[in-house]
Amino acid sequence: MAKHFLGYVCSLCKRQYQPEQVTYTCPHDGGNLDVELDYAAIRKEALASDWLANGEPSLWRYLPLLPVDDHGGQATPLRAAGWTPVYAPPALRSTLGMPHLWIKDESRNPTASFKDRASSVVVARARQIGAEVVVTASTGNAGAALAGMSAAVGQRAVIFAPRTAPPAKVAQLLIFKAGVLLVDGTYDDAFDLTIQAAQEFGWYCRNTGYNPFTAEGKKTAAFEIWEWQRQQTKNGHPALKNKPASVFVSVGDGNIISGIHKGFKDLQRLGLLEQMPRIFGVQSTGSAAIANAFHAGTETITPVSATTLADSISVDLPRDGVRAVRAARETGGSYVLVSDEEILQSIAALGVAGIFAEPAGATAYAGLVKALDLGLVDPQEPVLVINTGSGLKDVKSATRAAGEATIIEPTLQAVKGWLSAQK
Ligand SMILES: *Cc1c(COP(=O)(O)O)cnc(C)c1O
Ligand SMILES: [Zn+2]
């Protein structure tokens, strides 16, 4: 039993539950559950300086703030999730006229997306409760992450994904030897079927915005941003001295943005966060249920019929919508909408800086460009954009963004012809 894990609080009705009393959402109203930790005990035991001294190059450096036990010390992909790099991209800084822009690159996770943070912690939980099989619905990345983290420790996993999932993501599922079921329907269809199957067969369900441990894994990105910012300030970075970097992240179900908000709130409750950063959610105009609620000034999420090419954020009914609206509202952030065309342009723009993003990964950067246009951010303010997934996940979209390569005869003459055509 993770010793600082006290239980859950429903994000809607605020009812409290013991750790073993509930497994997924609030039995009363279906609300997403927030994990409660023993903040007073953590404050006493785990001072922030300990983490900075602890050399663990993964999200497991934050073990005292996680509701799971240390899952062994072995070097496995599960143990390697998180602790992703933050880049200072000169090309993008000059293009946007933003001297204090950073990109946190989550494509560097073991299965190449942000989802490894959630799946690493959920698999640790599954081992702890002795789950025989873990199951998830996924547009691709959550499944790849669950399959990969499970394979790492010999856990059985079953994945339900829409049959339209990009082939690279499906290949990952198969290579990691999960049970793979491609559903002839949408992600939302797969989601509902997964919950039924989990009930029927007694499987442990990882579904995003359903299992409370996913946000606990995802919150570690906020810890890393906080730690990075402290380090920058120590190094004398002027822009971050008085103001935390605003965070831009793409949003589908709304669990990443909720998790990041939870991470900053944990730090606040530990007395470690001086100022809450503004959090900006970015959605595609073709999958905008959470942005719609935000701009309507409500927490009621009305489903849409999602159509975006950014498959990882293509969601009809977001499962973590309420907390996702709050993440922006309570931090002075906002929601920004971008078109598929703008998403493709952002894949190309990030490529110029040596960063290869899948469509949903580049969406956050497209949102920053839009927010600058709208005057929601000042070009002088510090901003950190999260690339949530690798471009290798969806080569078809990358090719749409970049165009085709030139094919030539194997002659110097042909190279000269190409060179003169460049002018
Ligand atoms: C899952 C995912 C998102 C969106 O996360 P949500 O929790 O569904 O909002 C964004 N980008 C990538 C690459 C993802 O895999
Ligand atoms: Zn409730």
Side-chain angles (χ1 to χ4, degrees):
M1 195 62 218
K3 64 179 173 181
H4 298 137
F5 177 29
L6 293 184
Y8 312 91
V9 179
C10 173
S11 59
L12 298 182
C13 69
K14 307 294 173 201
R15 278 182 172 77
Q16 299 186 7
Y17 299 98
Q18 299 295 313
E20 309 311 326
Q21 205 177 347
V22 287
T23 310
Y24 302 118
T25 51
C26 175
H28 179 69
D29 55 16
N32 293 112
L33 298 177
D34 287 318
V35 164
E36 270 292 295
L37 301 173
D38 188 347
Y39 296 96
I42 298 168
R43 264 178 112 135
K44 269 195 216 124
E45 285 170 33
L47 293 173
S49 54
D50 295 345
W51 309 347
L52 297 173
N54 129 8
E56 178 78 45
S58 78
L59 63 81
W60 294 97
R61 70 200 280 110
Y62 307 113
L63 185 64
L65 295 185
L66 294 176
V68 288
D69 288 333
D70 188 1
H71 186 70
Q74 306 97 323
T76 66
L78 187 147
R79 196 74 198 187
W83 204 239
T84 56
V86 175
Y87 303 131
L92 303 178
R93 286 178 166 189
S94 74
T95 305
L96 298 182
M98 293 189 75
H100 311 302
L101 169 68
W102 287 272
I103 311 272
K104 187 167 175 65
D105 190 9
E106 292 291 316
S107 75
R108 294 281 301 271
N109 275 294
T111 76
S113 87
F114 195 106
K115 297 296 195 296
D116 283 335
R117 294 182 184 273
S119 291
S120 167
V121 168
V122 169
V123 170
R125 173 72 179 170
R127 304 304 274 176
Q128 204 173 315
I129 62 176
E132 217 163 284
V133 175
V134 193
V135 63
T136 196
S138 171
T139 60
N141 285 337
L146 184 65
M149 299 299 121
S150 294
V153 297
Q155 171 73 45
R156 282 179 60 208
V158 177
I159 314 297
F160 291 75
R163 65 177 292 188
T164 52
K169 296 181 182 180
V170 178
Q172 282 184 295
L173 302 177
L174 295 166
I175 285 291
F176 295 141
K177 283 279 180 239
V180 181
L181 294 164
L182 297 185
V183 178
D184 194 3
T186 63
Y187 167 63
D188 293 76
D189 295 327
F191 194 102
D192 295 335
L193 179 58
T194 303
I195 290 176
Q196 285 175 41
Q199 272 162 8
E200 181 78 14
F201 307 117
W203 297 341
Y204 183 52
C205 183
R206 175 220 174 274
N207 276 11
T208 297
Y210 182 66
N211 186 314
F213 287 82
T214 60
E216 291 298 297
K218 289 169 175 179
K219 75 180 183 182
T220 57
F223 299 161
E224 290 175 22
I225 292 168
W226 172 84
E227 219 186 305
W228 160 80
Q229 178 134 343
R230 262 173 59 132
Q231 201 53 50
Q232 293 286 314
T233 311
K234 256 193 204 157
N235 296 347
H237 196 288
L240 291 164
K241 224 178 175 77
N242 304 312
K243 195 173 167 38
S246 299
V247 176
F248 277 74
V249 63
S250 58
V251 174
D253 271 315
N255 192 243
I256 292 182
I257 196 171
S258 301
I260 288 172
H261 189 208
K262 171 66 156 56
F264 286 124
K265 284 190 291 187
D266 276 0
L267 292 170
Q268 208 165 39
R269 292 177 73 174
L270 291 168
L272 294 172
L273 191 74
E274 282 179 23
Q275 198 185 333
M276 180 63 81
R278 295 202 289 162
I279 304 177
F280 289 83
V282 187
Q283 290 206 288
S284 160
T285 47
S287 179
I290 296 174
N292 292 344
F294 178 89
H295 289 294
T298 171
E299 289 189 345
T300 306
I301 310 294
T302 309
V304 297
S305 196
T307 57
T308 176
L309 73 77
D311 62 293
S312 302
I313 51 170
S314 185
V315 178
D316 295 347
L317 174 62
R319 309 295 169 147
D320 208 345
V322 174
R323 294 192 301 187
V325 166
R326 290 177 186 166
R329 194 169 280 153
E330 291 175 6
T331 63
S334 188
Y335 270 84
V336 184
L337 287 176
V338 296
S339 66
D340 280 0
E341 199 46 50
E342 289 165 326
I343 291 171
L344 289 174
Q345 284 164 9
S346 293
I347 295 178
L350 289 169
V352 172
I355 299 163
F356 193 14
E358 69 165 89
T363 298
Y365 183 79
L368 170 62
V369 174
K370 184 59 64 74
L372 272 175
D373 274 355
L374 295 171
L376 296 173
V377 298
D378 184 305
Q380 293 303 315
E381 78 174 81
V383 169
L384 182 141
V385 174
I386 301 180
N387 167 30
T388 42
S390 167
L392 292 172
K393 298 267 196 174
D394 183 355
V395 170
K396 203 168 131 218
S397 293
T399 308
R400 275 182 70 181
E404 298 286 342
T406 307
I407 296 168
I408 59 163
E409 298 285 329
T411 65
L412 203 49
Q413 196 52 39
V415 180
K416 286 178 181 165
W418 174 74
L419 273 174
S420 57
Q422 299 295 298
K423 286 173 190 154

